């Protein structure tokens, strides 16, 4: 273990819970350098990519971005020359997430936080820092874990528990004074842009006010695949997948000049059979 104290970021939108976790960590691991508390998912991404902490305590359900979405974005954006952080997911009662994380190397903590449970997490993290040779595997471990949870990443954990959503067949998009009717099967891909989705067909590109999280449950999952936090593609229009010189995976769709990037978390969808 190096002499440098590990640096940790807490991402938790509930102030009392964040302060409770902070005080517990200060008591159980005085040497840990707590660099800050992010109050939502967007702050968590920004602070993590600015401070490059060694550990992130990441609440799964946060405003802005869920903890899983934060982890996915960090997996794509983390610089290759910096060690990927140990991520500890924090969740209140989502049994789906708990089951998925229970046997994985990345830890999770169930709310309400207890000293006993945090003590086990601290011990696990300290063991990881002592076994420094395990550190390079953190990113691949997280990617494998998030890949198993890819439906949750796309639809949001709350959607999983909700009742079945009615299937979308026709998209109605306002363009000037017109309302254009676009059959879903004609869509090449959907691209998230802030509060809107760019709906791209071979003939046109229009905006609709919706999020991918709202849209994805309404699509046929056997045809429409989420391949990036910002992109859903229609696989019936998929021509081929190709890696560029930097190793990034891109999709070429029939009748489309624009290539669609595939994130690390979804790259397993395009492995050769």
């Amino acid at each position: 273990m190096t002499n440098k104290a590990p640096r940790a970021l807490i991402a938790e939108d509930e102030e009392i819970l964040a302060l409770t976790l902070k005080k517990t960590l200060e008591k159980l691991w005085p040497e840990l350098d707590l660099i800050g508390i992010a109050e939502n998912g967007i702050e968590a991404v920004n602070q993590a990519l600015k401070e490059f902490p060694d550990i992130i305590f990441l609440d799964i359900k946060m405003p802005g971005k869920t903890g899983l979405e934060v982890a996915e974005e960090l997996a794509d954006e983390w610089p290759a020359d910096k060690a990927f952080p140990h991520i500890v997911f924090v969740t209140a009662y989502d049994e789906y997430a708990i089951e998925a994380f229970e046997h994985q190397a990345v830890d999770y903590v169930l709310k309400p936080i207890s000293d006993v449970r945090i003590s086990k997490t601290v011990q696990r993290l300290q063991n990881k820092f002592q076994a420094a040779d395990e550190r390079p595997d953190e990113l691949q471990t997280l990617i494998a874990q998030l890949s198993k949870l890819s439906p949750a990443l796309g639809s949001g954990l709350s959607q999983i528990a909700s009742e079945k959503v009615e299937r979308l067949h026709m998209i109605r998009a306002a363009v000037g004074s017109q309302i254009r009717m676009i059959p879903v099967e004609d869509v090449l891909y959907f691209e998230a842009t802030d509060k809107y989705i760019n709906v791209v067909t071979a003939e046109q590109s229009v905006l609709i006010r919706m999020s991918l999280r709202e849209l994805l449950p309404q699509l046929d999952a056997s045809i429409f695949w989420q391949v990036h936090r910002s992109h859903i593609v229609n696989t019936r229009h998929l021509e081929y997948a190709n890696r560029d010189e930097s190793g990034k995976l891109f999709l070429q769709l029939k009748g489309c000049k624009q290539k669609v990037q595939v994130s690390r978390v979804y790259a397993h969808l395009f492995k050769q059979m």
Side-chain angles (χ1 to χ4, degrees):
M1 179 165 45
T2 65
N3 294 324
K4 185 180 177 183
R7 301 166 70 245
L9 172 67
I10 295 173
E12 169 62 66
D13 65 309
E14 297 180 61
E15 183 179 1
I16 293 177
L17 292 177
L19 292 176
T20 299
L21 178 57
K22 180 175 181 289
K23 290 179 179 178
T24 304
L25 289 169
E26 288 172 341
K27 179 174 65 176
L28 297 174
W29 197 353
E31 299 80 14
L32 185 65
D33 181 7
L34 292 167
I35 61 174
I37 296 175
E39 297 180 354
N40 57 60
I42 296 171
E43 280 187 25
V45 170
N46 292 338
Q47 288 195 37
L49 292 177
K50 179 182 178 182
E51 301 288 346
F52 301 111
D54 301 296
I55 304 166
I56 304 176
F57 292 88
L58 193 54
D59 184 18
I60 287 183
K61 292 185 177 179
M62 287 188 294
K65 296 177 187 289
T66 69
L68 297 179
E69 290 169 337
V70 171
E72 183 195 7
E73 188 163 344
L74 293 180
D76 273 339
E77 302 297 334
W78 202 265
D81 61 343
K82 293 187 180 295
F84 196 75
H86 299 290
I87 290 183
V88 178
F89 288 101
V90 182
T91 181
Y93 43 76
D94 198 304
E95 295 180 358
Y96 180 87
I98 291 172
E99 182 180 358
F101 292 129
E102 199 156 26
H103 302 293
Q104 301 295 326
V106 179
D107 203 1
Y108 76 91
V109 174
L110 184 64
K111 298 178 185 177
I113 296 166
S114 72
D115 285 10
V116 173
R117 185 62 184 87
I118 291 294
S119 178
K120 291 181 179 178
T121 298
V122 166
Q123 185 62 57
R124 192 171 296 176
L125 289 167
Q126 289 174 337
N127 290 342
K128 282 181 172 290
F129 279 100
Q130 288 174 343
D133 57 330
E134 293 182 9
R135 190 69 183 276
D137 294 331
E138 284 299 308
L139 177 56
Q140 292 306 318
T141 300
L142 178 69
I143 289 173
Q145 192 174 58
L146 292 177
S147 298
K148 293 178 181 177
L149 292 167
S150 53
L153 288 168
S155 59
L157 292 171
S158 61
Q159 290 283 0
I160 291 173
S162 66
E163 294 183 359
K164 187 176 180 180
V165 179
E166 187 175 351
R167 185 67 52 80
L168 182 66
H169 298 286
M170 190 72 71
I171 294 169
R172 290 166 293 180
V175 179
S177 59
Q178 298 178 346
I179 301 296
R180 296 189 184 175
M181 308 297 285
I182 304 171
V184 171
E185 60 264 28
D186 290 348
V187 176
L188 300 180
Y189 67 91
F190 298 96
E191 178 183 30
T193 57
D194 196 12
K195 296 180 181 179
Y196 294 87
I197 292 175
N198 189 23
V199 181
V200 180
T201 71
E203 293 79 27
Q204 60 185 329
S205 174
V206 298
L207 293 175
I208 57 174
R209 190 177 178 86
M210 181 182 275
S211 68
L212 289 189
R213 188 181 302 181
E214 295 170 312
L215 174 66
L216 195 58
Q218 302 179 56
L219 300 174
D220 184 343
S222 67
I223 299 171
F224 289 91
W225 294 2
Q226 182 159 21
V227 298
H228 189 276
R229 59 183 177 277
S230 302
H231 292 103
I232 298 171
V233 298
N234 183 340
T235 56
R236 288 183 173 171
H237 296 287
L238 180 60
E239 190 167 10
Y240 61 83
N242 189 43
R243 289 192 185 278
D244 68 5
E245 294 179 352
S246 66
K248 292 182 179 179
L249 188 63
F250 289 88
L251 302 179
Q252 182 65 60
L253 296 155
K254 298 171 185 174
C256 182
K257 294 181 180 178
Q258 184 69 35
K259 293 183 178 180
V260 177
Q261 185 177 351
V262 180
S263 76
R264 287 170 165 168
V265 172
Y266 299 96
H268 67 283
L269 297 172
F270 302 95
K271 281 187 176 179
Q272 186 177 4
M273 295 181 70

